[in-house]
Amino acid sequence: MNQQEVVATYLIETPHSLEHAAAVIAGEQSSGTFVSVPGETNELKERFSAQVRSIEALETVDAPSLPGSKAPRDNASRTRYRRARVVIAFPLHNFGPSIPALLATVAGNLYELQELSGCRLEDVELPPAFAQRYPGPGFGIEGTRRLANVHGRPLIGTIVKPSIGLSTESLSKLVGELARAGLDFIKDDELHADPLYAPFEERVRAATGEIERSADETGRKTMYAFNISGDVDHMLRAHDLVWKLGGTCVMVNVNSVGFAALAHVRRHCQLPIHGHRANFGAMARHPLLGIGFDAYQKICRLAGVDHLHVGGFNSKFYESNDEVGASIRACLTPMFGDYRAMPVLSSAQWAATALPIYAATRTIDVFHLAGGGIIAHPGGTAAGVRSMQQGWEAALAGTSLEDYAKTRPELAAAIEKFGGRA
Amino acid sequence: MNQQEVVATYLIETPHSLEHAAAVIAGEQSSGTFVSVPGETNELKERFSAQVRSIEALETVDAPSLPGSKAPRDNASRTRYRRARVVIAFPLHNFGPSIPALLATVAGNLYELQELSGCRLEDVELPPAFAQRYPGPGFGIEGTRRLANVHGRPLIGTIVKPSIGLSTESLSKLVGELARAGLDFIKDDELHADPLYAPFEERVRAATGEIERSADETGRKTMYAFNISGDVDHMLRAHDLVWKLGGTCVMVNVNSVGFAALAHVRRHCQLPIHGHRANFGAMARHPLLGIGFDAYQKICRLAGVDHLHVGGFNSKFYESNDEVGASIRACLTPMFGDYRAMPVLSSAQWAATALPIYAATRTIDVFHLAGGGIIAHPGGTAAGVRSMQQGWEAALAGTSLEDYAKTRPELAAAIEKFGGRA
């Protein structure tokens, strides 16, 4: 690809001709006003215009997916809506390698246009200038495995539950139990950052203390992702506290703080950034609106997340297993060398979920998080952790879960308790 | 309202009972996992649970608005989808007065739930603790009018066009012309921040120099909103440069940088923040998904915007005039005293647009921006500006545009050129 352009792929729907709709997008996002204005020379247009690279016609439908589109006047009584995949190239010199400027260009006002009854940014290809500006994941897969000391299998983790309401004392006790039960990873809930009833600093002191004590006993230090999401100054202070106390991970709700704040945290960060995507559905759940995960995860990785949530297989969320599998593969696709992020699976996960995940992705470079699926295991948390590991062992061995469970009581107990949900 | 809670209003759609769906939202966003876990006591639930305050049933439909919902099993063959307006109260002590924590709570994972086939955060009521944390607009309506020295009518402004491609020399010439033509306000395009072909610092030096020279001649200093959107450090430096050179406004693409970065800029800012909402459509255009403008603009104001884009009347964008009118009223509704932002109208605006705007809102506390509608006026830019002012004079006088134009050649010429578009 041309090293001096950004190439964006859109899924669009329009009551106009596909050529006209594509030209409107290219015009709106490079130079556009409703009448020609002085200074808008042909030479200028040529150097700075976005270029429509391809239009792949898809199906035509009778009703618009989104409100507010306007059909061409001569056509209003028998309007149909054409869908297409459109590829548009934007000259990099129009905006430079800045994530906020990129977003204004490849997304921005597009979604408002009357010429479109559907518009989704599906993917974006970025030139190397972005890698010169943004260092990307500071730890990535290798750095995370090294810090967590987990190799040859997924990181098995859990989320502190109940997400809301635990006192610092209860948290301390819980973290001690979880760490001693053999969990590789513990994380705060995305709802839980710096609440009034259990301030961040108290929580971090309590949890890191327990993790250190447990590590002294077991020889293994559990990684804990402390949710530092908040105002910019808070995040920097919160990171510094975690780092100072020996913590090994911080969590950021990417959409709650925004990409500029995430990239700013990354520049100051000495720890892996666990990227949560809460709120992603608001811009992604409608198939003809917003920003798709392929585009989204690239920007997250560029801005510096080391881990990125992708939903779960057989989860309580709306995405299909196929979509979640594609999201896992997307995070692991090389970009600018090793700007890869480790995908994080969660939501209604348990031991059995390992098999369809592995079948769909053939990777072990994931976090596999379970809440109830681990700590509500009939044999207790340690048995829950073992059952998750056994699920992955079965997946890697190509054995059925039931066969593998015959000689593994933890897995057998998990199947008995949670099997109705698989 | 209770001073210790946040109250959120949602429009939802669900294949479940409305009561069940509302309970799932409240549970997911305060404490939730698929099985009860140790530590989740009734006392804890009582103190920390979100409370469903009301459910107003609306229409029922045959098809889901969004993909990925799952109906209750006994009901799958004859599923219908119920819509409702649901009000839920979240205890403030669960998360504290933090915008990122607020977003994770009132929005966040909600949009992902299989129990919902539609979910839109329509409005949010915030307790005063948020005003103690966030200072809100630094200038607002009064401060902006004072700096721009415009009273008793809207601020008439334009956007630098072509948005992309002007050399610094051409920009300088254009700004000089615009300022001398009597414009109250000029802004960068949202696409235009710190491009490679015309770096931010050069542009600011060129434009502020012209504005100062023009002010020396005319006695009036045009306000220019320089688009500082970018990485956090860039924004602070860019703001400082504008301020040092005597500029009177900076612009931030709220969604491109995110709320945490916006709030951070606000804390350092000595100038009004012109808030652009590019990309808002990605989370708002579908009526049953995302975040509505009522909720959005409150968070923008809290984070510190002094001005906020609301689209335009008869614009090229998807919203109806009724929706844009409601957006104007929303920005002007008091919150925490005077956390009001001045609404900004743009997109295909011209002199005539003043009348429906004023009829719908009865306010003059707006920016009215026109691109072609001013600078493509047959009599030139100064005549274009006069025509816009005359449009508002007609609106305030309760006179028809045509009557008012009889003795105003600038307005008459605008009607002749742009009248087909009204």
Side-chain angles (χ1 to χ4, degrees):
Chain A
M1 97 185 240
N2 181 325
Q3 306 272 291
Q4 297 303 324
E5 65 185 23
V6 165
V7 179
T9 302
Y10 299 96
L11 179 63
I12 67 163
E13 183 187 278
T14 178
H16 294 262
S17 76
L18 295 175
E19 292 69 24
H20 176 70
V24 167
I25 295 173
E28 175 72 19
Q29 296 307 89
S30 54
S31 91
T33 178
F34 76 81
V35 286
S36 276
V37 296
E40 202 173 355
T41 62
N42 284 341
E43 184 198 346
L44 182 150
K45 282 190 178 175
E46 198 155 300
R47 185 167 165 221
F48 295 97
S49 285
Q51 305 287 335
V52 179
R53 284 292 156 77
S54 67
I55 300 175
E56 177 199 352
L58 303 170
E59 68 278 19
T60 296
V61 296
D62 289 327
S65 292
L66 300 174
S69 66
K70 282 201 184 148
R73 285 177 194 201
D74 60 339
N75 191 27
S77 61
R78 50 190 166 80
T79 303
R80 303 202 72 203
Y81 299 84
R82 298 170 187 85
R83 292 181 183 165
R85 187 157 285 115
V86 172
V87 177
I88 297 178
F90 299 90
L92 178 65
H93 65 181
N94 282 15
F95 50 93
S98 152
I99 291 174
L102 171 75
L103 288 169
T105 302
V106 298
N109 275 349
L110 278 186
Y111 303 106
E112 313 262 346
L113 293 171
Q114 288 175 347
E115 283 85 353
L116 303 176
S117 57
C119 180
R120 183 176 178 90
L121 175 65
E122 290 193 322
D123 200 359
V124 62
E125 286 179 58
L126 302 172
F130 279 92
Q132 287 156 28
R133 176 80 65 93
Y134 296 98
F139 290 79
I141 296 164
E142 294 315 313
T144 295
R145 286 194 173 284
R146 196 175 61 242
L147 266 183
N149 195 21
V150 176
H151 303 277
R153 61 170 175 80
L155 275 73
I156 304 299
T158 195
I159 305 115
V160 166
K161 298 277 177 190
S163 50
I164 297 288
L166 277 189
S167 67
T168 303
E169 295 68 37
S170 301
L171 175 73
S172 180
K173 183 163 169 288
L174 176 61
V175 169
E177 288 166 8
L178 294 173
R180 287 176 182 85
L183 277 155
D184 304 316
F185 178 80
I186 306 171
K187 68 178 275 291
D188 283 338
D189 195 90
E190 83 277 4
L191 295 173
H192 203 245
D194 185 25
L196 301 180
Y197 67 90
F200 185 79
E201 178 162 353
E202 284 181 26
R203 292 202 298 115
V204 177
R205 289 189 184 281
T208 51
E210 278 303 316
I211 287 170
E212 295 293 345
R213 276 187 287 280
S214 160
D216 289 344
E217 292 169 30
T218 65
R220 285 186 70 250
K221 183 165 168 176
T222 302
M223 179 177 274
Y224 190 118
F226 292 99
N227 185 3
I228 64 170
S229 306
D231 294 335
V232 169
D233 288 337
H234 165 81
M235 289 196 281
L236 300 186
R237 279 197 311 270
H239 163 272
D240 292 350
L241 180 72
V242 173
W243 165 242
K244 193 182 74 180
L245 293 173
T248 54
C249 190
V250 293
M251 167 167 149
V252 173
N253 291 342
V254 177
N255 306 311
S256 302
V257 308
F259 284 113
L262 169 61
H264 191 70
V265 168
R266 164 66 183 93
R267 289 187 194 284
H268 290 74
C269 201
Q270 305 292 326
L271 299 170
I273 298 174
H274 191 79
H276 200 286
R277 66 170 192 175
N279 217 9
F280 176 64
M283 57 175 145
R285 185 160 173 180
H286 193 284
L288 274 149
L289 180 62
I291 299 182
F293 191 76
D294 279 350
Y296 175 78
Q297 54 86 24
K298 284 184 181 172
I299 301 169
C300 290
R301 290 197 269 161
L302 183 66
V305 302
D306 295 283
H307 319 147
L308 186 57
H309 278 246
V310 296
F313 271 57
N314 307 321
S315 83
K316 64 185 173 187
F317 294 141
Y318 75 93
E319 284 185 307
S320 68
N321 288 355
D322 283 352
E323 290 172 301
V324 178
S327 295
I328 293 170
R329 288 189 296 272
C331 292
L332 295 173
T333 301
M335 178 174 82
F336 303 139
D338 204 28
Y339 279 32
R340 293 183 302 156
M342 204 154 173
V344 183
L345 291 132
S346 71
S347 173
Q349 305 296 287
W350 64 285
T353 328
L355 282 81
I357 297 171
Y358 187 70
T361 64
R362 296 279 150 189
T363 187
I364 54 170
D365 286 330
V366 300
F367 286 79
H368 200 193
L369 311 188
I374 288 177
I375 60 180
H377 188 284
T381 303
V385 172
R386 274 302 295 142
S387 73
M388 294 285 286
Q389 294 171 346
Q390 289 161 352
W392 281 93
E393 290 163 14
L396 286 162
T399 313
S400 81
L401 201 68
E402 290 66 27
D403 277 354
Y404 204 74
K406 282 177 185 161
T407 53
R408 278 91 183 172
E410 299 89 351
L411 186 56
I415 295 170
E416 187 172 337
K417 173 140 188 186
F418 306 124
R421 306 189 160 262
Chain B
M1 93 183 244
N2 182 325
Q3 307 272 294
Q4 297 303 324
E5 65 185 22
V6 165
V7 179
T9 303
Y10 300 95
L11 179 63
I12 68 163
E13 183 187 279
T14 178
H16 294 262
S17 76
L18 294 175
E19 291 69 24
H20 177 69
V24 167
I25 296 174
E28 175 71 19
Q29 298 305 89
S30 54
S31 90
T33 179
F34 76 80
V35 286
S36 275
V37 295
E40 202 173 355
T41 62
N42 285 340
E43 184 197 346
L44 182 150
K45 282 189 178 176
E46 198 155 302
R47 186 167 164 221
F48 295 97
S49 285
Q51 303 288 335
V52 178
R53 283 291 157 79
S54 67
I55 299 175
E56 176 199 352
L58 303 169
E59 68 276 19
T60 297
V61 296
D62 289 327
S65 293
L66 300 174
S69 66
K70 283 201 184 146
R73 284 176 195 203
D74 60 337
N75 191 26
S77 62
R78 51 190 165 80
T79 303
R80 301 203 71 204
Y81 298 85
R82 298 169 187 84
R83 293 181 183 164
R85 186 157 286 114
V86 172
V87 177
I88 297 178
F90 300 90
L92 178 66
H93 66 180
N94 283 13
F95 50 94
S98 152
I99 291 175
L102 171 75
L103 287 170
T105 302
V106 298
N109 276 349
L110 279 186
Y111 303 107
E112 313 261 347
L113 293 171
Q114 287 175 347
E115 284 85 353
L116 303 176
S117 57
C119 181
R120 184 175 179 89
L121 174 65
E122 290 194 320
D123 201 359
V124 61
E125 284 179 60
L126 302 172
F130 280 90
Q132 287 155 29
R133 175 81 64 93
Y134 296 98
F139 290 79
I141 296 164
E142 294 315 313
T144 296
R145 287 194 174 283
R146 196 173 62 241
L147 266 183
N149 194 21
V150 176
H151 304 277
R153 61 171 175 80
L155 274 73
I156 305 300
T158 196
I159 305 115
V160 167
K161 296 280 178 186
S163 50
I164 297 289
L166 277 189
S167 67
T168 303
E169 296 70 35
S170 301
L171 175 72
S172 181
K173 184 163 169 287
L174 176 62
V175 170
E177 289 166 8
L178 294 173
R180 287 175 183 86
L183 277 155
D184 304 316
F185 178 80
I186 306 171
K187 68 178 274 293
D188 283 339
D189 195 90
E190 83 277 3
L191 295 173
H192 202 245
D194 185 25
L196 301 181
Y197 67 90
F200 185 80
E201 179 163 352
E202 283 181 26
R203 291 201 301 113
V204 177
R205 290 189 184 278
T208 51
E210 278 303 318
I211 286 169
E212 294 294 344
R213 276 187 288 280
S214 161
D216 289 344
E217 291 168 31
T218 65
R220 287 186 69 247
K221 183 165 167 176
T222 302
M223 179 177 274
Y224 191 119
F226 292 98
N227 185 2
I228 65 171
S229 307
D231 294 336
V232 169
D233 288 337
H234 165 81
M235 289 196 282
L236 301 185
R237 280 197 310 269
H239 163 270
D240 291 351
L241 180 72
V242 172
W243 165 243
K244 193 182 74 181
L245 293 173
T248 54
C249 190
V250 293
M251 168 168 148
V252 173
N253 291 343
V254 176
N255 307 312
S256 302
V257 308
F259 284 113
L262 169 62
H264 191 70
V265 168
R266 165 65 183 94
R267 289 188 193 283
H268 289 73
C269 202
Q270 305 292 326
L271 299 170
I273 297 174
H274 190 79
H276 200 288
R277 65 169 193 177
N279 217 8
F280 176 63
M283 58 175 145
R285 186 159 172 179
H286 193 285
L288 275 149
L289 181 62
I291 300 183
F293 191 76
D294 280 350
Y296 175 77
Q297 55 87 26
K298 284 184 182 173
I299 301 169
C300 289
R301 291 197 270 160
L302 183 67
V305 302
D306 296 282
H307 319 146
L308 186 58
H309 279 247
V310 296
F313 271 57
N314 306 321
S315 82
K316 64 185 174 187
F317 295 141
Y318 74 93
E319 285 185 307
S320 69
N321 289 354
D322 284 352
E323 289 171 302
V324 178
S327 296
I328 293 171
R329 288 189 297 272
C331 292
L332 296 172
T333 300
M335 179 174 83
F336 303 137
D338 204 29
Y339 279 31
R340 294 182 303 156
M342 205 155 172
V344 182
L345 291 131
S346 71
S347 174
Q349 306 296 286
W350 63 285
T353 328
L355 282 80
I357 297 171
Y358 187 71
T361 64
R362 296 281 149 186
T363 187
I364 54 169
D365 286 330
V366 299
F367 286 79
H368 200 195
L369 311 188
I374 288 178
I375 59 179
H377 188 284
T381 302
V385 173
R386 274 301 295 143
S387 74
M388 295 283 288
Q389 294 172 346
Q390 289 161 353
W392 281 92
E393 289 163 14
L396 286 162
T399 313
S400 81
L401 200 69
E402 291 65 28
D403 278 353
Y404 204 74
K406 281 177 186 162
T407 53
R408 276 92 182 172
E410 298 89 350
L411 185 56
I415 295 171
E416 189 173 336
K417 174 141 188 185
F418 305 124
R421 305 187 161 267

